[in-house]
Amino acid sequence: MDDFLAARSQMALSLGFHIIYSCIGMGMPVFMAISHFKWIKTQNPVYKNITVAWSKGVAIFFATGAVSGTMLSFELGLLWPGFMKHAGPIFGMPFSLEGVAFFIEAIALGLFLYGWNRLNNWVHWTAGIIVGVSGVASGILVVSANSWMNSPSGFDFVNGQYINIDPVKAMFNAAWFSESLHMIIAAFSATGFAVAGIHALMIYRKKNIQFHTKAFKIAIIFGAVAAIIQPLSGDLSAKNAAKRQPAKLAAMEAYFHTQEYAPLVIGGIPDTAAKKVNYGIEIPGLLSFLVHDNFKTPVNGLDKIPVKNQPPVAVTHYAFQIMVGIGVLMMLIAMVYFYELWKKKDLLSKPWFLKLFIWATPLGFIALEAGWTVTEVGRQPWIIQGVMRTSEAVTPMPGIQYSFYLFSFIYFTLSVAVIFLLKRQIQMVPELYDR
Amino acid sequence: MLYIVILFLFAAITLYFLLGGADFGAGIIELFTSTDNKHRTRKIMYQAIGPIWEANHMWLIITVVILFVGFPVIYSEMCIYLHIPLLIMLLGVIARGTAFSFRNYDAVKDEKTQAFYTQIFVYSSFVTPLFLGIIAGSALSGQINPKATDFAHAYIFSWLNWFSVAVGFFTVALCGFLAAIYIVGETDDVDEIKRYIRKAKIMNIVAVICGALVFLASGYEKVHLANWIFGNPVSLVAVIAATISLGVLYLIISHKRNRQWIRLLAAFQVCMILISVGFSRFPRFVIFKDGSSMSLLTEHANDNSIDDLGIGLLVGSLFILPALGYLYYAFKKKDR
């Protein structure tokens, strides 16, 4: 493994790890605040127990998210000093604001976790809400920094110099809205489905049914609504990518040749050498329609992009297919949920219904990782789209592969530890929260 | 605006050192507590730092953000040549943060896993400030050698040298001292207060010894530490103030007077040490082997970025400081 690949792998690993924790960190505090609100309103102790149980989860995920986030802010410099030297002042604005949001989140979390019996109920509740709101704000800000890498603005690049820097313009780059929206919705749908799935499993096993039923209902409503609106934001993102990163869109679709009535390719195995997709299903004109709202208008293919500026097609295409496939599946499951809810059926006593959600537990996170792969791999070989290549940004220090092995080990260990802890939390529900 | 940003940078570093330091120190004290007393120590420390420790950690993030937004060249040079100690420090941060919260939020509190989390927590509490000190010592003392052509001189000896390591141990001792003093103000149990005062005294003696080692190492590595500190009036006054406050501190401790004063004095001492060194080096932030250096006044980002960063920090502190104040207040209230 050479240093460049090691640096990229380590970054991918760190982001892939952090993204799960930070998404849970955005979603769960909101669920927790809803349950807390219900407790204050109804004084039903089950809601209080759910709040406390979830807050433990929030604390564990916040701690892991915070340390992996700290790690990332250093890794930007440790692995990509060439990038940070120039990009820091341009796209640093959202990071500074994120620092503020994160700080407030940490303070609010301290107040929330230790505020039982010490703070006024509503002050305590507000602290919980602030955890959620600042978590979402952090998410938007960090994604806005990433969207700048995809859609750089707020500076002029003249003769290798970065001049006329405007950090505010850089923060509100053309892609910030669609990317952040997509990410936040993804966070809520993934977290909603995952939390609901775990509670569904416990109901299925007939354990503490009252507790898990109430918890399930709060989580799934977020997951289901988010899953249903996600395709809309996905469409917005794809149009955005088509306009600003035609190479990325072409790689996502494994679309090699520019043509009228551009087809949407579903599935298939891209053959980069022969420039075609084997075994894919083509729907003629649909890509043109999705990108240009017109079935005939040609869409630029990879043939319009010099080979040295093309992202890896296969990885981007597979990741995109996985994301979209799972997204559609989650949307369907959400529709089943709403249909049954509308029919007022006693859903949670039906094993098939519970199994559906148990099975769907990890789906959102797989889609999340796949989507992130599309964003990041689809941007290659650029670290700043069209301005700086990833290979120009990497640290001159050799031996990065050892650092990569080390971090692989650490992230693996942490993941095992978190799963272990969550398992113990769930096991202890009967003793701690369901008296 | 540049000066406001620099002020925030120093404030963030100082606060990280004071608050985060007390936090690290809690682990260091636990490491050096006899097995019989460990349980009690842990309980008091947990009550003291539990609610605030996530917030303490944020000063590190603020420091990094100010560096990479405001002083990107300095940040990336440090990241290149101090890659290894930064990495180790970060591993410490990760291990420590997760072990601390796992220990407290694990639903099952069995002895075996608790002991495992504790092991990780106490050792990483030692390693993290050690490398923090090594990084600071290396950056300020002219050990970084970008002209080196081999791996060892460029990426190892830039930080692995007597001076940097001595500064690392000095940092560890100061953290232990800060933590002991911080906890003295956190408990009302007379025996415990006695114990922590004793610990604070021991840590203080260790810190003085480590400080002396730093001086010895500076001679060996040809770092003109004495010149830095005694060479300008501000640093000199700061050092004298620190020394006097140490005396006052002992006086108050011995007579068991107001415990808040003890805390303030300890914080004051550490601040004075930082000011003394910081002022003598200012505006240089990283100094290289060949004597050249990177100055905060010249190696900064463009004016627009600095202005926006400054505004962001000022507005941010309007939110953060009252919230932080409230956090400390809310958890002090019940203690009284």
Side-chain angles (χ1 to χ4, degrees), chain A residues 106-115 118, chain B residues 45-56 100 105 182 186 327-328 331 334:
Chain A
I107 295 171
L109 188 69
L111 282 170
F112 186 84
L113 291 175
Y114 297 86
R118 280 184 207 164
Chain B
M45 280 186 329
Y46 176 64
Q47 281 169 354
I49 66 174
I52 51 169
W53 87 287
E54 288 283 14
N56 291 344
F100 184 82
Y105 299 114
Y182 180 72
E186 283 295 299
L327 179 70
Y328 283 98
F331 293 101
K334 57 99 203 181

Side-chain angles (χ1 to χ4, degrees), chain A residues 223-241:
Chain A
V225 171
I228 285 177
I229 57 175
Q230 185 66 309
L232 298 174
S233 102
D235 181 52
L236 195 68
S237 292
K239 284 195 169 73
N240 207 310

Side-chain angles (χ1 to χ4, degrees), chain B residues 294-333:
Chain B
M294 287 194 290
S295 154
L296 290 172
L297 295 179
T298 54
E299 299 294 337
H300 58 81
N302 64 88
D303 293 344
N304 275 346
S305 301
I306 290 287
D307 288 351
D308 289 350
L309 177 62
I311 293 167
L313 289 166
L314 285 170
V315 174
S317 52
L318 287 183
F319 286 98
I320 290 172
L321 296 178
L324 201 59
Y326 181 70
L327 179 70
Y328 283 98
Y329 164 79
F331 293 101
K332 279 287 91 64
K333 226 174 24 172

Side-chain angles (χ1 to χ4, degrees), chain B residues 264-282:
Chain B
L264 280 178
L265 279 169
F268 177 78
Q269 268 170 38
V270 174
C271 282
M272 284 300 125
I273 293 170
L274 291 178
I275 285 176
S276 162
V277 175
F279 193 86
S280 73
R281 303 286 81 200
F282 187 81

Side-chain angles (χ1 to χ4, degrees), chain A residues 294-355:
Chain A
N294 180 331
F295 287 99
K296 194 181 170 208
T297 319
V299 175
N300 285 339
L302 284 163
D303 53 353
K304 289 273 166 81
I305 318 280
V307 175
K308 63 174 179 139
N309 292 349
Q310 288 181 9
V313 177
V315 175
T316 317
H317 179 68
Y318 293 136
F320 183 64
Q321 298 295 314
I322 292 171
M323 176 185 79
V324 172
I326 292 179
V328 170
L329 201 63
M330 287 170 72
M331 188 177 71
L332 294 175
I333 297 175
M335 283 172 168
V336 170
Y337 175 75
F338 282 121
Y339 177 77
E340 299 281 314
L341 198 68
W342 175 58
K343 288 268 168 189
K344 290 203 173 28
K345 290 187 180 167
D346 182 18
L347 307 159
L348 295 170
S349 60
K350 290 180 187 155
W352 70 267
F353 186 81
L354 291 170
K355 271 190 198 159

Side-chain angles (χ1 to χ4, degrees), chain A residues 5-29:
Chain A
L5 185 64
R8 281 187 59 194
S9 308
Q10 185 179 325
M11 199 68 196
L13 182 79
S14 310
L15 279 164
F17 181 86
H18 178 68
I19 204 168
I20 291 184
Y21 292 84
S22 45
C23 280
I24 297 174
M26 282 190 249
M28 274 198 86

